[in-house]
Amino acid sequence: QDPPSGAHPFFTMLAPPPRRRLPVALYPFLALLGVCMTLSSLPSSLLSRSVASTGNAAARTSMTSRMGGSSKMMAPLPHCASRAPSSVAAELQATTDAAATTFDLKKYLVEKKEVVDAALEKSVQSGAKETEKICEAMRYSLLAGGKRVRPVLTIAACEMFGGSEEDCMAAAVATEMIHTMSLIHDDLPAMDNDDLRRGMPTSHVKYGEDVAILAGDALLSESFAHVAKQTPKSVPADRIVEVIRILGDAVGPVGLAGGQVMDLECEGKSGVTQDELRWIHRHKTGALLRAAVASGAVIGGANEQEVEACIRYAESVGLAFQVADDILDCTATAEELGKTAGKDEATDKTTYVKLLGLDGARKEARRLADEAMQALDQFGERAAPLKALADYIVSRGN
């Protein structure tokens, strides 16, 4: 039968001739087609807002579920919305990407630092009266606080490739043991001769140079034993061996020891170039940060190309970390730093601030952080913690 009088012109237009009437049951489908045609004619800006809003909600829901929260997913868009112009799709992708990279680093750092501190507490225990003093000295510096950046980098890299905290905690603890050893030795009178570290008297001030040196030595050797003994048996043995190799390389002549020697040689020396300074800090500071990230990636199951991407990230982060340290040394107070401020200038040490000026050093730190984040673009949202850590390293206040 014919459409009722007064019907929308759309129905009148589509009504068949009397000789070939359509079944009444088809009218609802024709009405749906009309709705879709109407939607497709709406202004693109209106569609963009609708599509982007839904994209944001989906991205937030995805991130929330990964962070252990809960959220209700919005209903999917009608099929006809997929006919939106390509510019709308591009805007949706950009909006979704921005929402997906939202990451609560402060919460992440608090949570990871708590589990790392608990593991560090258990890692050095005296089992006999004769070892009480050396273990006390080891624990004094190891548990003196700090941001735990290196262990957190290890955990973040491992989790990016599907590993767990438990899988990589021994390696994370090992990186902090090695870092603490380097601080104990760096503070000695024969090197930087510092009396304050993390707001407390340095190890040699409290225990004497002899015990401080031995405490550092013990932490270094224990770091390798800890990885071998405490890494879960579920982690393949070849990965554990590779981590021990990575950590060993980070400490030797092409690691922090070699970087420290060249750093000492450049004190008070004129004409030090930026290339020389970069070599110092790629080894003195960057080598252990590189080992922290690479160790986590290896334990998590990354392939060779993925590990290389992580190393590129860590090399840029390591340099950015040192540039930020140079800036803080001349802009922050001893109370803010937890160590003596202005030491670099007092010892006429070559720094990025000395070579580039304060503004130039800040720009270089930002450039390096951006470079580090770009190295992880291929990993998408999984790299959010590591990218956020790169940004934090150049914006920290101590």
Side-chain angles (χ1 to χ4, degrees):
Q1 60 185 21
D2 292 334
S5 61
H8 191 281
F10 172 78
F11 295 105
T12 305
M13 177 185 67
L14 292 178
R19 292 191 305 272
R20 300 177 62 187
R21 295 180 183 275
L22 294 175
V24 175
L26 287 179
Y27 282 108
F29 298 100
L30 294 174
L32 179 59
L33 177 62
V35 171
C36 290
M37 291 175 65
T38 302
L39 281 175
S40 66
S41 67
L42 287 175
S44 62
S45 59
L46 182 58
L47 273 175
S48 297
R49 287 194 294 270
S50 174
V51 172
S53 174
T54 305
N56 276 332
R60 284 195 299 270
T61 303
S62 175
M63 179 60 72
T64 301
S65 64
R66 277 189 294 278
M67 294 298 293
S70 61
S71 180
K72 292 184 178 180
M73 179 71 77
M74 290 185 66
L77 287 172
H79 177 69
C80 57
S82 65
R83 301 173 184 265
S86 59
S87 60
V88 175
E91 182 180 336
L92 169 59
Q93 183 62 49
T95 306
T96 302
D97 289 346
T101 55
T102 302
F103 181 75
D104 190 346
L105 179 64
K106 184 176 180 180
K107 178 182 177 183
Y108 184 84
L109 285 174
V110 169
E111 291 175 350
K112 298 305 182 187
K113 185 177 185 299
E114 184 176 336
V115 295
V116 167
D117 284 342
L120 290 171
E121 169 67 35
K122 297 175 183 176
S123 66
V124 177
Q125 301 286 340
S126 176
K129 181 180 179 180
E130 294 79 4
T131 61
E132 285 179 0
K133 187 170 186 178
I134 184 65
C135 288
E136 178 188 327
M138 293 165 69
R139 288 171 58 83
Y140 174 78
S141 297
L142 186 64
L143 305 178
K147 298 174 286 293
R148 310 305 188 199
V149 169
R150 291 153 192 83
V152 174
L153 285 170
T154 301
I155 295 169
C158 182
E159 291 180 335
M160 185 167 75
F161 294 104
S164 67
E165 264 180 16
E166 183 183 3
D167 291 339
C168 66
M169 187 56 70
V173 167
T175 63
E176 192 68 9
M177 286 180 171
I178 295 173
H179 175 55
T180 303
M181 173 278 296
S182 74
L183 299 182
I184 293 173
H185 287 180
D186 202 40
D187 291 335
L188 289 168
M191 294 203 208
D192 282 1
N193 192 24
D194 217 324
D195 295 338
L196 191 67
R197 174 68 68 177
R198 291 172 174 171
M200 299 167 60
T202 49
S203 181
H204 70 271
V205 170
K206 185 172 178 64
Y207 294 101
E209 289 183 49
D210 49 0
V211 173
I213 292 170
L214 293 169
D217 292 345
L219 283 168
L220 177 59
S221 59
E222 182 60 26
S223 68
F224 302 111
H226 194 77
V227 172
K229 293 186 294 187
Q230 300 300 326
T231 303
K233 296 186 184 301
S234 57
V235 177
D238 60 332
R239 296 183 189 177
I240 299 172
V241 172
E242 176 63 6
V243 167
I244 293 172
R245 183 199 65 78
I246 289 169
L247 294 173
D249 285 348
V251 185
V254 290
L256 61 89
Q260 178 69 17
V261 168
M262 190 166 177
D263 190 33
L264 292 169
E265 290 181 342
C266 288
E267 283 187 8
K269 179 181 175 181
S270 61
V272 178
T273 67
Q274 190 171 339
D275 285 342
E276 290 174 314
L277 185 62
R278 190 178 291 113
W279 193 96
I280 290 170
H281 295 309
R282 271 186 176 150
H283 296 82
K284 179 184 174 182
T285 304
L288 189 54
L289 288 165
R290 186 167 61 245
V293 178
S295 294
V298 167
I299 292 175
N303 62 38
E304 186 176 340
Q305 290 73 28
E306 290 167 337
V307 172
E308 283 299 320
C310 289
I311 288 174
R312 290 195 300 273
Y313 160 86
E315 285 179 342
S316 296
V317 161
L319 288 174
F321 191 100
Q322 187 60 51
V323 178
D325 260 9
D326 290 352
I327 292 168
L328 289 170
D329 186 75
C330 64
T331 60
T333 65
E335 290 74 22
E336 291 169 328
L337 292 175
K339 60 182 180 181
T340 306
K343 286 282 291 186
D344 293 342
E345 186 176 1
T347 57
D348 195 22
K349 182 175 287 189
T350 302
T351 66
Y352 281 93
V353 174
K354 185 177 180 179
L355 291 182
L356 304 177
L358 189 57
D359 288 343
R362 284 173 172 152
K363 290 177 182 177
E364 178 67 0
R366 184 68 265 166
R367 183 191 71 79
L368 288 165
D370 291 343
E371 185 177 86
M373 289 187 275
Q374 289 170 8
L376 300 181
D377 282 347
Q378 62 182 293
F379 303 118
E381 295 175 22
R382 293 181 293 149
L386 287 175
K387 287 187 173 185
L389 282 163
D391 196 56
Y392 161 77
I393 280 170
V394 298
S395 60
R396 62 197 164 92
N398 57 34

